[in-house]
């Protein structure tokens, strides 16, 4: 079969083949056809936080295929899997378990897959969804590659928009399972063989494809593709990925954010964001109920001090919420602070470039159900501008809401400058006899109408923050020379009294 006049490539097995992300044509059966790339995703501990087994077993019980009572030790096995991943004994036991499927009605098993899919689709990790969309947009085939039975997993793959699955097939006759595997047992080298067979039949170039897995036993598959990614890796895969310089991801956190024992640094440090651990400041929190305990939200706050980040973190931690801060790019270039900011999932902003990349990254975080913090003023005002009650802001927060529809939660910060003035390199940690009061006031969420322009929108946001200020923050204050000096960075000298706000 030959290409048509439009340049599409064919083969005599599959008809029109997708040109895919590479667009190259290679010979097969003497003719040319399009080479495409694929993204192969493991299921358990990769797309999902843990095992799919409990949901699948429960669905099989509900449709009457399995006995009502769980198999003794089943919960323990799944718990160990969630903690450390696959082990050879557990997988060999699972393989022997295929025999227990003998006599199952294939239609009932497919029904169980649909029931399980309706539950598991909600458990797919947020940044896995982002990765899936990325591959869809770039034209790659999406494939779930899993040891789990084909009939039970296919409905989930369909619900997530995958193109196909490579999974263990159970032999059947007259619609009844025979208790044997039909083809490859899709685990270890068996998974690699099954994926290679699938790719060859569909003209998928493994060298241009991606594979995602948590398991050391998927090392053969990861080594076979051009772009392997270790996701939530078990200990042995973590070592292998580090040695090979493969990317390591955790699909419940943004790219670049590490995890230790399943916990990212920001969540661990949230335990330290407790007011009682900061004796050099007295905190007053108001309106914390306006911070949603889950779901996307944009935090918009004024900026008075380097201590603002801690004050906001303390408020958010009281609602159990980590957050992604948009921060100046210069901070990421610092030797110690930069890696810490990256590990905390902060989003760099290069204010002079005009790039939309920070908003795109923030939108991705919001789409994953996270909280994003923006300080619309961009920087701490200097000189007399610091004491001007009329605040001005940049429109990025409004643009971000338009992109995502997430609510904007205004927060007023007051008194943080007395804990850590801009002129100091560190907070005043020894002021514990008479510590200054830090006031954190949270307002009701804003949803700006589409008809509001950027300028009017940011004015509404800044007005909402202003309305939360204490009385002294709403009147003009004539600062003393000492107060002016504290609004400038260390070493600014007498030039800090110009009050130009630069």
């Amino acid at each position: 079969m030959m290409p048509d006049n439009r340049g599409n490539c064919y083969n005599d097995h599959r008809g029109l083949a997708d040109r895919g992300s590479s667009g190259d044509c290679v010979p097969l059966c003497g003719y040319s056809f399009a080479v495409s790339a694929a993204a192969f995703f493991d299921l358990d501990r990769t797309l999902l936080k843990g095992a799919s087994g409990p949901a699948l077993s429960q669905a099989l019980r509900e449709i009457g295929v399995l006995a009502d009572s769980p198999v003794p030790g089943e919960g323990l096995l799944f718990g160990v899997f969630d903690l450390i991943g696959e082990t050879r004994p557990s997988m060999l036991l699972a393989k022997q378990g295929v025999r227990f499927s003998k006599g199952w009605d294939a239609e009932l098993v497919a029904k169980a897959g649909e029931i399980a899919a309706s539950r598991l689709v909600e458990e797919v990790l947020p940044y896995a969804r982002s990765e899936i969309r990325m591959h869809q947009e770039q034209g790659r085939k999406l494939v779930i590659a899993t040891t789990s039975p084909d009939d039970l997993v296919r409905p989930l793959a369909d619900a997530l928009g995958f193109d196909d699955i490579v999974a263990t097939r159970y032999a059947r006759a007259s619609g009844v399972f025979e208790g044997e595997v039909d083809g490859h047992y899709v685990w270890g080298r068996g998974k690699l063989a099954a994926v290679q067979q699938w790719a060859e039949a569909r003209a998928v170039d493994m060298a241009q494809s991606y594979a995602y897995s948590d398991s050391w036993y998927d090392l053969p598959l990861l080594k076979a593709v051009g772009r392997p990614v270790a996701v939530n890796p078990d200990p042995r895969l973590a070592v292998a990925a580090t040695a090979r310089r493969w990317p390591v991801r955790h699909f419940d956190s943004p790219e670049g954010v590490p995890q230790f024992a399943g916990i990212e640094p920001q969540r661990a440090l949230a335990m330290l964001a407790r007011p009682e651990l900061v004796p050099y400041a007295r905190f007053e929190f108001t309106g914390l109920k306006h911070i949603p305990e889950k779901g996307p939200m944009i935090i918009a706050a004024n900026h008075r001090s380097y201590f603002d980040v801690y004050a906001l973190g303390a408020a958010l931690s009281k609602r159990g919420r980590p957050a992604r801060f948009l921060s100046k790019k210069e901070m990421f270039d610092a030797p110690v602070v930069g890696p810490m900011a990256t590990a905390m999932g902060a989003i760099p902003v290069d204010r002079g470039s005009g790039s939309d990349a920070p908003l795109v990254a923030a939108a991705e975080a919001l789409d994953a159900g996270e909280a994003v913090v923006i300080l619309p003023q961009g920087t701490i005002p200097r000189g007399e501008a610091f004491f001007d009650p009329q605040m001005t802001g940049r429109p990025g927060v409004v643009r971000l809401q338009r992109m995502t529809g997430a609510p904007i939660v205004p927060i007023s910060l007051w008194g943080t400058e007395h804990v850590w003035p801009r002129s100091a390199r560190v907070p005043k940690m020894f002021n514990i006899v008479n510590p200054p009061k830090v006031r954190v006031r949270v307002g009701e969420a804003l949803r700006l109408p589409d008809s509001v322009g950027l300028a009017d929108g940011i004015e509404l946001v800044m007005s909402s923050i202003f309305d939360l200020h204490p009385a002294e923050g709403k009147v003009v204050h004539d600062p003393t020379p000492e107060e002016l000096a504290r609004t400038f960075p260390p070493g600014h000298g007498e030039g800090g009294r110009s009050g130009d706000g630069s």
Side-chain angles (χ1 to χ4, degrees):
M1 191 171 294
M2 297 296 291
D4 67 8
N5 293 332
R6 297 169 295 172
N8 292 324
C9 298
Y10 291 79
N11 68 55
D12 55 4
H13 299 296
R14 295 282 172 180
L16 180 61
D18 291 331
R19 190 168 289 273
S21 62
S22 68
D24 298 327
C25 290
V26 298
L28 179 69
C29 306
Y31 301 103
S32 292
F33 67 97
V35 173
S36 60
F40 301 97
F41 287 83
D42 184 34
L43 179 59
D44 298 346
R45 283 175 44 94
T46 303
L47 286 175
L48 306 175
K49 181 76 172 178
S52 59
L56 298 177
S57 297
Q58 179 60 31
L60 288 169
R61 291 189 181 95
E62 290 179 16
I63 54 92
V65 170
L66 287 180
D68 290 339
S69 58
V71 176
E74 179 181 304
L76 177 61
L77 285 174
F78 287 136
V80 171
F81 176 85
D82 288 348
L83 184 64
I84 64 173
E86 294 175 348
T87 62
R88 184 174 293 276
S90 67
M91 297 308 295
L92 291 177
L93 182 63
K95 186 175 183 180
Q96 293 302 314
V98 175
R99 293 179 300 169
F100 294 102
S101 68
K102 186 174 182 179
W104 288 2
D105 186 307
E107 289 188 5
L108 287 179
V109 173
K111 178 63 177 176
E114 294 174 2
I115 294 172
S118 67
R119 298 162 184 168
L120 290 173
V121 73
E122 301 300 326
E123 297 182 21
V124 174
L125 294 169
Y127 289 94
R129 295 180 182 274
S130 301
E131 200 78 359
I132 290 168
R133 281 194 298 273
M134 181 269 289
H135 288 299
Q136 287 174 327
E137 292 167 358
Q138 296 182 8
R140 298 185 188 92
K141 297 289 187 183
L142 285 168
V143 182
I144 291 180
T146 178
T147 311
S148 300
D150 179 290
D151 299 78
L152 289 174
V153 176
R154 190 168 293 276
L156 176 61
D158 292 341
L160 294 174
F162 276 72
D163 297 290
D164 208 346
I165 67 171
V166 175
T168 303
R169 292 186 57 82
Y170 286 14
R172 71 198 70 195
S174 302
V176 177
F177 284 178
E178 298 181 301
E180 297 177 356
V181 173
D182 178 11
H184 297 284
Y185 183 66
V186 184
W187 179 69
R189 294 195 175 279
K191 180 181 283 191
L192 171 61
V195 167
Q196 287 177 324
Q197 182 177 326
W198 182 94
E200 183 177 350
R202 292 158 181 80
V204 167
D205 185 357
M206 295 287 283
Q208 297 186 48
S209 295
Y210 291 69
Y212 300 81
S213 179
D214 70 291
S215 176
W216 159 264
Y217 296 102
D218 280 341
L219 196 60
L221 173 59
L222 292 168
K223 291 165 64 175
V225 298
R227 298 180 181 180
V229 183
V231 180
N232 185 30
D234 62 33
R236 287 191 291 177
L237 181 58
V239 172
T242 300
R244 291 170 170 80
R245 297 184 179 181
W246 290 347
V248 175
R249 295 288 306 275
H250 296 273
F251 282 152
D252 54 351
S253 301
E255 187 171 2
V257 175
Q259 289 192 9
F260 306 95
I263 302 174
E264 66 169 279
Q266 186 177 163
R267 290 189 179 275
L269 290 174
M271 294 183 291
L272 301 177
R274 301 171 64 89
E276 57 268 29
L277 298 179
V278 184
Y280 49 89
R282 292 181 296 121
F283 287 87
E284 177 185 281
F285 297 101
T286 306
L288 292 178
K289 65 181 181 181
H290 298 308
I291 298 176
E293 292 184 327
K294 62 181 180 179
M297 66 172 169
I298 305 167
I299 296 290
N302 59 311
H303 202 5
R304 300 186 66 79
S305 165
Y306 303 122
F307 195 67
D308 293 344
V309 173
Y310 186 92
L312 288 167
L316 289 165
S317 68
K318 283 182 170 291
R319 300 291 286 172
R321 297 298 303 266
R324 310 301 170 192
F325 285 74
L326 271 74
S327 306
K328 292 188 294 185
K329 181 180 179 295
E330 293 82 356
M331 184 177 72
F332 291 80
D333 298 330
V336 177
V337 177
M340 288 180 61
T342 300
M344 298 286 281
I347 300 169
V349 178
D350 188 353
R351 292 181 296 168
S353 70
S355 171
D356 283 339
L359 290 183
V360 172
E364 181 177 306
L366 290 167
D367 190 54
E370 301 220 49
V372 170
V373 177
I374 299 181
L375 307 180
Q377 290 171 284
T379 189
I380 304 170
R382 299 185 183 190
E384 293 180 359
F386 185 87
F387 303 93
D388 187 349
Q390 299 301 317
M391 300 177 294
T392 59
R394 300 168 183 266
V397 62
V398 180
R399 294 176 59 199
L400 186 58
Q401 184 179 64
R402 288 183 175 179
M403 292 168 63
T404 63
I408 299 172
V409 178
I411 296 183
S412 162
L413 300 172
W414 201 261
T416 53
E417 71 278 9
H418 299 304
V419 180
W420 192 348
R422 191 171 191 173
S423 58
R425 299 187 186 278
V426 294
K428 294 182 176 182
M429 293 181 288
F430 298 104
N431 186 10
I432 60 177
V433 176
N434 186 28
K437 178 185 286 188
V438 172
R439 285 175 269 199
V440 182
R441 295 180 175 177
V442 185
E444 294 185 10
L446 303 174
R447 294 186 182 273
L448 303 176
D450 294 338
S451 58
V452 174
L454 289 178
D456 290 339
I458 190 59
E459 185 175 342
L460 284 171
V461 173
M462 302 311 291
S463 296
S464 297
I465 297 172
F466 174 84
D467 290 342
L468 296 167
H469 283 345
E472 63 265 33
K474 298 178 180 179
V475 295
V476 176
H477 173 66
D478 186 17
T480 66
E482 291 74 18
E483 289 175 326
L484 281 173
R486 286 197 291 269
T487 69
F488 289 90
H492 189 272
E494 292 302 316
R497 302 182 185 183
S498 64
D500 60 4
S502 61

